[in-house]
Amino acid sequence: MTQATTQTETKAEGFEPRIVAFVCNWCTYAGADLAGTSRLQYAPHVRIVKLPCTGRIDPLFILKAYEGGADAVLVSGCHPGDCHYTSGNYHARRRWTIFRRLLSLAGVEEGRLFFSWVSAAEGQKFADLINDVTAQVKAAGPFKHNPARRQAW
Amino acid sequence: MARIGVFICHCGENIGRTVDCAAVAQESAKLPGVVVSLDYKYMCSDPGQQMIKNAIAEQKLTGVVVAACSPRMHETTFRRAAAEAGLNPYLLEMANLREHCSWVHEDRPIATGKAVDLVRVMVEKVKRNRALYPIQVNVEPTAMVVGGGIAGIQAALDIAAGGKKVILVEKSPSIGGHMARLSETFPTLDCSQCILTPRMVEAASHPNITLMTYSEVEAVDGFIGNFEVTIRKKARYVDPAKCTGCGSCYTKCPQKKIPSEFDALLGKRSAIYTPFPQAVPNKPVIDAEHCTMLTKGKCGVCKKICPRDAINYEDKDELVKVKVGAIVLATGFELWDHSKYGEYGGGRLVDVIDGFQFERLASASGPTAGEIRRPSDGQVPHTVVFIQCCGSRDEKQGMAYCSKICCMYTAKHAMLYRHKVHDGRAVVFYMDIRAAGKGYDEFTRRAIESDGAEYVRGRVSRIYRRADGKLIVRGADTLAGRPVSIEADLVVLADAVVPRKGGEKLAQMCGVGYDTNGFYSEAHPKLRPVETAAAGVFLAGACQAPKDIPDTVAQASACAAKVLGLFAAPKLEREPIVARVNQNLCVHCRACINTCPYGATQDREIKDRQGNVVKVVAEVNEGLCQGCGTCVAICRSNAIDLDGFTDEQIFAEIATLE
């Protein structure tokens, strides 16, 4: 933990990561809304792309995000069993499990793709998640494979 | 060429404090395609909405981005305003500057930067929005109510009173449910049958209600407004059209020793039977398991005796298909089986009974004609111990919840017992008295103060039978801080209220969720207590959670209001966020068909002029599609897209984030 923190501090200098989050409308988007209504402060490096369900996420979205200059991608939906559409989150999880392995083949190191469940009631968890992901990405440094221009969001 | 309008809301101070709204408006104005970019103190107010409407009209906007609060808050408001100004409402998107930006970031330049980003993304998305039109679905104005207890009866009567047809499905031979088995009801002590049976008759005779007793739901297909339900009508072996309910058959039936389910196994019934004399319909059925004619081919007494020739031993189960527009689930509850409590005798002590058994003992129509006599030897018990929370609030038994009705009915039982056996002693062990309800606390006070029930706060640790037949109840009085031991003649356990066995199957058929205890889940615990995640399926009574009669009746009437509301319009309008298949690209791999949780993606044959099938492709039934988009992501040939969240829109959003 201490080591990770020091690493964060050293690498974080001047590096403001860009993180794209694909979230579902019913749980995580609402969870993010709750973080807002609860006035929980979190790192400003994440941009949310709202989808009806994590099941809607095409792996290509994630690749495009990296290609477009994202340093990391976060996918978050409803908890298992809570999917508004019964089973979309299970499809997402299955797809993600396989896709994660293929990512390294595409030159994206593990640790640049995050997956989480955040329910509509978990505003605090959403804020913590964003802070945690941001800290980890800061520690990992910029994603070196994307040719896109580097500038802070 | 896109002509986009951007409207930035300050939300009073809520956004304006951290986000420099004027700067965001200026930056947005520079975005390609944006022709007007304005900021205003309260965009959702009347003048704010007017600002948007005017801009749509004057600038001939093709798309609008409102950067304000969460779309969950005001998307409908702004979309309605857009529609009023003549713009298709689905050409409006919202950027969430409040919940996702100003409220969660303190640094003004950073928040302003993020706000510009959020607007930029939405501008790119909205450029690719298409005009969408609400989907109209036909509604079959007939409701099906599953369960003929007080919840089902009330819901059916109210829907029928609203002028709509109802099919009331009940699995046992008669409607009435648990309420018909009760002796008196709290807190008024009026006779349960006296208030219920007129309702049962009303339900049976109402021209809008079709009773289907001795029937079970076999399968549910379709969707809101258009359910197709398969109902299994179990073989009755008695033709209800011919039977007059004279009762000759069950008086003469030689099989008379079968424990009666209605009497909680304390009374006996014959193999051909009506559950109770006031049954509706009052037509007997043959219990195929116990009838010797059906099991061994020997007997046939009822057929010989029946003056109407209504008995048919060849009767078979029949599957009936019905079309309904709405479903009310009112399947009720049952009592937990206390034989799992080894310390309370594990179900082996005959004189340790449950609440329903006590109800039958106290009921004038029960096996003892209303006299309290214990099952083992038929003696009047002189000391009765009532134990509350048997299974409820016991996490070890997997039931952390309170069964809600036990405090009240135990007080009622103690009262009834003391009314019938004046010198008897009624001892109640309780954890807490939960008597919240109109007249409820007064009722429990009455049991204690006027009727002399002895209330002991504490748990019973053990019940065992002494050689002389006495039941020894050992427990603790936690208020006095000492152990107690009572010699009892009868023990009544307030077993936990649990959902009906097999209720999960029905829930899965209807697409309704259920909690860890098996109770059906409502759509929202506070604001949508009778709706479920499945549109068009509603919940009434104890299948949703333990409930007393007044709450059940109220919820059933609420269901009826929801059903009548649904049936009020001939067509149902739905959000047009549905998937579409490009049939030219589809290779019919069926991945989407296997994925769809709603069965909305289906095969479609494309035929030539001669009627030969040229190609089979997937097709989306927009009545069934809920718009999750799982099929879109799984499609290998990119043949499916989701309106409102098209690949083009999302890729544009991602690209904008560069």
Side-chain angles (χ1 to χ4, degrees):
Chain A
M1 183 66 207
T2 336
Q3 203 183 355
T5 325
T6 15
Q7 211 179 10
T8 313
E9 278 160 8
T10 47
K11 286 210 176 178
E13 228 173 308
F15 169 53
E16 299 294 335
R18 320 186 202 192
I19 302 159
V20 176
F22 295 102
V23 307
C24 80
N25 180 36
W26 304 97
C27 291
T28 305
Y29 194 89
D33 274 2
L34 181 63
T37 33
S38 317
R39 311 296 200 278
L40 304 170
Q41 304 296 306
Y42 56 79
H45 304 88
V46 173
R47 299 291 178 269
I48 284 179
V49 176
K50 181 177 80 168
L51 299 163
C53 178
T54 43
R56 172 71 184 89
I57 298 170
D58 190 321
L60 208 53
F61 293 170
I62 299 171
L63 288 180
K64 281 283 177 196
Y66 289 123
E67 192 187 297
D71 297 299
V73 171
L74 165 66
V75 171
S76 178
C78 308
H79 284 266
D82 287 352
C83 179
H84 181 80
Y85 303 103
T86 328
S87 56
N89 54 355
Y90 292 130
H91 287 289
R93 178 168 66 179
R94 232 174 284 164
R95 220 173 280 153
W96 180 81
T97 315
I98 296 170
F99 178 66
R100 210 164 104 105
R101 282 192 230 145
L102 292 175
L103 261 187
S104 52
L105 213 72
V108 181
E109 59 267 36
E110 277 193 25
R112 296 213 176 261
L113 182 58
F114 298 84
F115 195 84
S116 181
W117 317 111
V118 176
S119 82
E122 293 174 329
Q124 185 65 55
K125 185 175 174 189
F126 182 81
D128 293 346
L129 173 72
I130 299 302
N131 285 335
D132 182 42
V133 166
T134 309
Q136 286 191 45
V137 179
K138 276 189 175 175
F143 179 49
K144 51 184 180 297
H145 296 289
N146 73 61
R149 67 199 152 79
R150 291 233 50 84
Q151 68 173 45
W153 268 348
Chain B
M1 191 58 202
R3 296 179 63 80
I4 311 293
V6 178
F7 301 89
I8 321 282
C9 178
H10 294 238
C11 194
E13 281 277 275
N14 283 309
I15 296 172
R17 190 185 299 127
T18 12
V19 172
D20 184 345
C21 295
V24 176
Q26 273 174 23
E27 280 301 309
S28 306
K30 296 177 197 160
L31 297 171
V34 173
V35 290
V36 52
S37 178
L38 302 165
D39 63 304
Y40 186 66
K41 210 89 180 148
Y42 297 102
M43 211 45 99
C44 59
S45 69
D46 237 21
Q49 290 190 42
Q50 199 53 49
M51 202 164 153
I52 300 174
K53 289 187 204 172
N54 291 345
I56 291 173
E58 287 161 15
Q59 302 284 339
K60 298 191 172 48
L61 298 182
T62 60
V64 172
V65 173
V66 180
C69 49
S70 169
R72 303 171 71 85
M73 184 90 186
H74 272 316
E75 193 176 66
T76 342
T77 317
F78 290 120
R79 284 193 166 169
R80 203 184 303 128
E84 282 165 16
L87 184 74
N88 184 289
Y90 297 94
L91 296 175
L92 181 143
E93 292 285 348
M94 287 188 74
N96 191 341
L97 295 198
R98 194 178 71 175
E99 280 84 346
H100 289 190
C101 188
S102 72
W103 276 350
V104 291
H105 306 308
E106 279 162 344
D107 187 292
R108 197 170 162 88
I110 287 179
T112 307
K114 181 171 174 181
V116 174
D117 267 351
L118 297 180
V119 173
R120 204 153 50 96
V121 168
M122 275 308 148
V123 167
E124 285 311 311
K125 182 181 184 194
V126 86
K127 280 183 191 169
R128 290 157 180 85
N129 277 24
R130 281 199 310 122
L132 300 175
Y133 301 91
I135 294 164
Q136 307 233 326
V137 186
N138 279 322
V139 175
E140 175 67 44
T142 303
M144 175 176 73
V145 178
V146 187
I150 181 61
I153 292 172
Q154 183 69 37
L157 282 174
D158 286 350
I159 297 167
K164 302 295 176 192
K165 300 275 183 206
V166 186
I167 298 166
L168 179 55
V169 183
E170 163 61 41
K171 71 172 174 184
S172 70
S174 168
I175 56 169
H178 288 314
M179 192 177 163
R181 306 165 76 191
L182 306 181
S183 55
E184 270 83 22
T185 54
F186 60 79
T188 45
L189 288 191
D190 45 0
C191 150
S192 183
Q193 291 222 346
C194 310
I195 53 178
L196 178 69
T197 44
R199 293 262 165 131
M200 290 161 59
V201 174
E202 201 187 332
S205 58
H206 201 293
N208 283 345
I209 300 179
T210 311
L211 273 195
M212 288 181 77
T213 52
Y214 216 43
S215 302
E216 286 184 50
V217 174
E218 191 82 4
V220 178
D221 286 312
F223 52 96
I224 181 168
N226 300 276
F227 293 106
E228 193 173 277
V229 184
T230 312
I231 300 168
R232 176 180 293 273
K233 285 177 89 170
K234 291 183 277 189
R236 302 176 82 100
Y237 305 99
V238 176
D239 183 347
K242 289 184 185 163
C243 174
T244 58
C246 70
S248 311
C249 53
Y250 51 80
T251 13
K252 297 286 188 223
C253 176
Q255 297 295 320
K256 285 203 163 48
K257 295 278 174 69
I258 305 157
S260 158
E261 297 83 0
F262 184 79
D263 280 333
L265 309 181
L266 292 180
K268 301 277 185 269
R269 64 164 171 84
S270 45
I272 182 165
Y273 72 107
T274 53
F276 54 107
Q278 299 79 19
V280 172
N282 200 355
K283 312 265 165 103
V285 297
I286 296 181
D287 169 3
E289 196 188 323
H290 293 99
C291 171
T292 49
M293 189 64 198
L294 291 170
T295 49
K296 297 175 193 150
K298 286 177 194 159
C299 185
V301 170
C302 50
K303 192 170 174 67
K304 274 175 227 149
I305 210 96
C306 179
R308 301 272 300 164
D309 193 26
I311 313 287
N312 170 20
Y313 296 124
E314 306 296 310
D315 201 4
K316 292 267 173 318
D317 286 10
E318 192 190 337
L319 292 179
V320 187
K321 275 192 193 291
V322 292
K323 287 207 85 171
V324 295
I327 297 174
V328 176
L329 299 180
T331 51
F333 71 100
E334 49 192 56
L335 290 183
W336 181 67
D337 177 11
H338 60 241
S339 61
K340 287 169 196 150
Y341 259 174
E343 56 270 47
Y344 291 177
R348 287 182 303 276
L349 301 173
V350 212
D351 290 329
V352 176
I353 62 174
D354 68 26
F356 272 126
Q357 290 176 315
F358 190 86
E359 292 286 346
R360 294 315 296 154
L361 290 181
S363 170
S365 69
T368 55
E371 284 185 47
I372 308 289
R373 292 184 177 278
R374 63 183 200 171
S376 61
D377 53 7
Q379 294 299 310
V380 175
H382 291 287
T383 303
V384 181
V385 171
F386 298 90
I387 303 172
Q388 296 192 176
C389 297
C390 180
S392 324
R393 303 176 68 194
D394 186 345
E395 278 183 56
K396 269 186 248 145
Q397 298 295 343
M399 288 167 293
Y401 60 91
C402 165
S403 289
K404 197 171 176 184
I405 56 173
C406 321
C407 286
M408 294 308 296
Y409 78 63
T410 301
K412 177 187 76 179
H413 286 170
M415 238 184 221
L416 290 177
Y417 169 68
R418 290 273 300 151
H419 291 179
K420 287 172 195 265
V421 184
H422 300 302
D423 58 346
R425 187 175 168 216
V427 184
V428 178
F429 280 91
Y430 70 98
M431 282 162 73
D432 297 287
I433 303 286
R434 296 184 168 175
K438 195 174 179 181
Y440 284 12
D441 201 54
E442 296 92 317
F443 186 79
T444 50
R445 299 303 323 164
R446 206 173 111 199
I448 300 166
E449 286 156 15
S450 315
D451 289 307
E454 296 167 37
Y455 270 65
V456 181
R457 189 178 198 276
R459 297 292 290 163
V460 169
S461 55
R462 198 176 161 213
I463 305 170
Y464 62 94
R465 194 182 155 93
R466 209 166 55 189
D468 64 352
K470 285 274 183 197
L471 292 168
I472 309 301
V473 180
R474 284 177 186 272
D477 181 339
T478 52
L479 292 183
R482 59 183 164 80
V484 280
S485 176
I486 294 167
E487 292 179 10
D489 302 305
L490 181 68
V491 176
V492 183
L493 302 178
D495 288 336
V497 169
V498 294
R500 288 275 187 194
K501 268 185 214 82
E504 297 90 348
K505 212 179 128 206
L506 182 63
Q508 284 158 5
M509 274 188 242
C510 298
V512 171
Y514 45 90
D515 62 21
T516 47
N517 302 308
F519 289 110
Y520 295 160
S521 304
E522 62 283 1
H524 188 282
K526 292 177 172 49
L527 302 177
R528 295 171 70 198
V530 301
E531 290 137 291
T532 63
V537 183
F538 306 96
L539 303 178
C543 62
Q544 181 249 342
K547 243 179 230 97
D548 56 17
I549 296 167
D551 283 1
T552 297
V553 171
Q555 201 188 7
S557 292
C559 271
K562 288 284 171 196
V563 170
L564 290 172
L566 172 65
F567 289 171
K571 296 242 182 188
L572 184 74
E573 287 210 339
R574 289 203 32 229
E575 277 268 293
I577 307 297
V578 290
R580 286 188 196 288
V581 180
N582 181 338
Q583 296 183 342
N584 294 322
L585 291 177
C586 176
V587 294
H588 197 239
C589 67
R590 296 183 58 93
C592 56
I593 296 172
N594 295 329
T595 303
C596 180
Y598 305 99
T601 34
Q602 298 156 348
D603 290 328
R604 182 191 160 96
E605 295 179 341
I606 295 178
K607 293 176 181 167
D608 64 11
R609 284 186 196 168
Q610 280 75 43
N612 305 316
V613 178
V614 189
K615 188 182 174 188
V616 186
V617 292
E619 186 182 53
V620 175
N621 177 336
E622 44 179 51
L624 288 172
C625 178
Q626 300 289 317
C628 65
T630 306
C631 58
V632 185
I634 212 150
C635 181
R636 290 151 197 177
S637 43
N638 249 346
I640 316 186
D641 218 339
L642 181 67
D643 280 345
F645 296 92
T646 60
D647 276 349
E648 196 196 348
Q649 287 173 310
I650 295 162
F651 284 130
E653 285 186 55
I654 299 168
T656 314
L657 285 172
E658 276 178 20

